[in-house]
Amino acid sequence: MTAYKAPKGTKDVLPEQSYQWQYLEALIRGIVKKYGFLEARTPVIEHTELFLRGVGETTDIVQKEMYTFEDKGGRSMTLRPEGTAGVVRSYIENGMGSLPSPVRLFYKITAFRYENVQKGRYREFHQLGAEAFGSTGPLVDAELIGMLALYFEQMGIRDAALRVNSIGCPVCRASYNQLLQTYFEPHIHGMCEDCRGRFGRNPLRILDCKVERDHAIAAEAPRLLNHLCADCQTHFDGLLRALDAQGTEYTIDNGIVRGLDYYTRTVFEFVSTSFQSLGGTICGGGRYDGLVEEIGGTPTPGVGFAMGLERLLLELEARDIPSPEPPPMDLYLAPMGEAAATYTASLVARLRRAGVRAETDLCGRSLKAQLKYAGKRGVRFAAVIGDSELSTGQVKLRRMRDGTEETVSLSELETGATARMAAFGD
Ligand code: HAM
């Protein structure tokens, strides 16, 4: 028989790991709520055209990494490689432009990129992201960055390295592109095929090349940050002032260009020191003032970020930051005999309604096997219920850690199990 395996670049999140995922999700949900974000849920598949326009035809994502297929109706569809394009489509399609600005949207998505698989780089991965539409000024950029910094802090990462940069607007980029072409001209014939393609279409992309020799040439290229137009410079200065005012630490990194075409002005990344091989980016984002219009909406500024959940988990692991363990079962009721089994089945149901994590036997096990099972499950307390307990109405509540027992009435167990177990102690 074939032993099926998960496709390359995908991972099962095992039951003991999913608790950690839920913890990270719950933490960010709690934070975004305080900032006024509501959740957006958009389809996993979109029309391919959306990403060609949205993410950009010269990006690696569009050129090499998309999972694109023709559906049975002959349409070209793509599994989303990121979340922003879909959220922007949804914003336009559902008329969210008429909502009070900024419209703040949060999302947790699965995304797909056909990548060279390595640690922290998968083909199916998960992003937590947020987008804010309708505000041009840098305050919203700073607010988003501050929100992220709070998230990192709350999960125990106090020194997340935040790098910020500005990549200007179409006005300053047009003259900067010429400057770049002049710089790269003498080198371009010896550079990789991708860079040669980027040279004419989008020379800024060359700065993001991962080929070592090209990277070295690009490192000496002029930086857009030194060639911003007056408006972009004012915006960037405003961002830095706002970050200072809110006490968010950052470094300016004029090498950040980001791998997607839609960015204007602010770009930022939170980087890890633990997996440098990936450039260490846990989270990336920035402003995209032209994207809504590009996708067919009325011109609306936007800014957002997304972070990879898998990379976040790697970072926590590398830093030895423990995340909470799933709480153990509170109580195991071990029935002996048919009458007791019927009784415990209804008692656990009532206990659960009252908020107690309780279990009973579902497998017809012997008493010994039941207690072994309860031990393996790490249950805090157990009680054996047989015919004599049913007739006296008294049971022995056993603290599993050390086997100590206390006598408890069945009625007290039913109405006050939590208090009784708390008084007994773990
Ligand atoms: P991105 O930089 O392409 O930006 O991805 C954001 C994050 O997703 C990365 O920092 C990384 O943690 C994670 N990620 C990306 N690719 C992979 C992969 N193959 N395996 C594991 N994790 C990965 C965006 O996606 C933009 N949409 C962010 C944004 C939102 N900008 C504005 N709004």
Side-chain angles (χ1 to χ4, degrees):
M1 210 181 109
T2 320
Y4 292 109
K5 291 196 164 175
K8 187 173 176 191
T10 70
K11 274 186 178 212
D12 296 317
V13 179
L14 300 177
E16 65 270 21
Q17 298 163 334
S18 61
Y19 191 78
Q20 207 184 6
W21 286 63
Q22 286 170 24
Y23 155 72
L24 290 177
E25 287 168 32
L27 199 63
I28 194 146
R29 281 180 195 281
I31 292 174
V32 298
K33 209 185 280 176
K34 293 188 193 99
Y35 280 77
F37 284 76
L38 290 179
E39 186 178 358
R41 296 191 183 191
T42 62
V44 173
I45 50 170
E46 296 274 1
H47 294 284
T48 303
E49 182 63 23
L50 176 70
F51 301 115
L52 302 187
R53 290 195 80 87
V55 171
E57 300 207 37
T58 59
T59 60
D60 280 356
I61 295 179
V62 165
Q63 291 197 341
K64 305 178 192 167
E65 297 170 0
M66 294 208 302
Y67 279 87
T68 297
F69 61 97
E70 199 171 281
D71 73 5
K72 291 192 197 312
R75 302 169 201 90
S76 179
M77 308 301 292
T78 293
L79 296 182
R80 64 179 163 214
E82 57 101 56
T84 310
V87 169
V88 169
R89 191 231 0 101
S90 173
Y91 172 89
I92 300 167
E93 187 174 343
N94 297 292
M96 289 189 232
S98 62
L99 299 172
S101 297
V103 175
R104 295 176 169 105
L105 302 173
F106 162 79
Y107 53 86
K108 192 224 119 180
I109 60 164
T110 307
F112 303 85
R113 296 183 193 175
Y114 194 83
E115 303 233 39
N116 289 325
V117 177
Q118 51 178 299
K119 191 172 179 190
R121 192 177 289 286
Y122 309 108
R123 292 186 176 164
E124 182 192 43
F125 58 97
H126 297 79
Q127 287 186 338
L128 299 171
E131 315 289 350
F133 297 95
S135 177
T136 330
L139 289 183
V140 63
D141 311 26
E143 188 180 86
L144 274 173
I145 293 172
M147 182 169 94
L148 268 170
L150 178 64
Y151 183 49
F152 284 115
E153 194 185 310
Q154 287 199 350
M155 75 180 97
I157 302 179
R158 289 186 194 282
D159 56 346
L162 164 63
R163 302 197 182 148
V164 294
N165 189 23
S166 173
I167 56 166
C169 65
V171 175
C172 33
R173 216 171 304 159
S175 47
Y176 173 69
N177 278 345
Q178 284 176 0
L179 215 73
L180 273 186
Q181 280 168 333
T182 311
Y183 171 80
F184 282 118
E185 182 120 53
H187 306 284
I188 197 67
H189 294 293
M191 295 177 81
C192 75
E193 198 185 325
D194 284 344
C195 284
R196 291 202 300 275
R198 290 161 179 156
F199 180 76
R201 277 177 294 165
N202 189 355
L204 188 65
R205 266 279 77 71
I206 301 179
L207 300 182
D208 213 17
C209 184
K210 304 284 181 291
V211 177
E212 215 168 288
R213 183 198 45 194
D214 299 353
H215 192 70
I217 299 170
E220 303 296 320
R223 297 292 155 170
L224 189 39
L225 194 61
N226 303 323
H227 300 274
L228 294 178
C229 66
D231 284 350
C232 288
Q233 187 64 53
T234 306
H235 195 275
F236 191 58
D237 293 343
L239 171 70
L240 301 188
R241 264 200 314 279
L243 290 174
D244 288 338
Q246 72 191 24
T248 306
E249 287 182 25
Y250 59 87
T251 50
I252 298 172
D253 180 348
N254 64 15
I256 300 179
V257 290
R258 308 278 305 126
L260 302 99
D261 273 355
Y262 46 63
Y263 292 109
T264 52
R265 296 189 167 165
T266 310
V267 284
F268 57 89
E269 290 181 349
F270 278 81
V271 291
S272 157
T273 41
S274 57
F275 43 99
Q276 286 292 356
S277 59
L278 294 175
T281 312
I282 306 175
C283 172
R287 179 165 276 283
Y288 45 85
D289 289 345
L291 183 60
V292 176
E293 191 180 3
E294 180 72 34
I295 293 179
T298 46
T300 308
V303 53
F305 66 77
M307 81 190 104
L309 256 168
E310 288 85 355
R311 290 194 192 172
L312 209 49
L313 287 162
L314 285 174
E315 181 67 8
L316 290 177
E317 191 187 304
R319 286 172 179 256
D320 269 333
I321 297 177
S323 40
E325 297 281 323
M329 267 288 146
D330 293 320
L331 181 59
Y332 182 83
L333 296 179
M336 280 197 307
E338 229 168 88
T342 309
Y343 175 77
T344 57
S346 66
L347 179 56
V348 283
R350 291 193 296 277
L351 284 167
R352 289 166 182 158
R353 276 174 187 269
V356 181
R357 288 183 295 269
E359 267 193 69
T360 187
D361 180 47
L362 298 177
C363 301
R365 290 188 172 107
S366 68
L367 181 61
K368 193 172 159 209
Q370 288 192 57
L371 293 177
K372 199 167 158 193
Y373 166 82
K376 277 193 193 156
R377 295 272 288 142
V379 169
R380 292 167 60 214
F381 294 92
V384 177
I385 303 182
D387 290 341
S388 79
E389 283 78 8
L390 288 182
S391 67
T392 59
Q394 303 284 318
V395 291
K396 290 209 170 86
L397 186 63
R398 177 192 294 201
R399 187 165 64 193
M400 294 296 277
R401 171 170 59 80
D402 58 2
T404 315
E405 293 186 333
E406 277 186 6
T407 302
V408 184
S409 72
L410 277 174
S411 59
E412 189 188 349
L413 197 62
E414 180 161 346
T415 52
T418 305
R420 186 65 199 235
M421 288 186 292
F424 201 164
D426 276 311

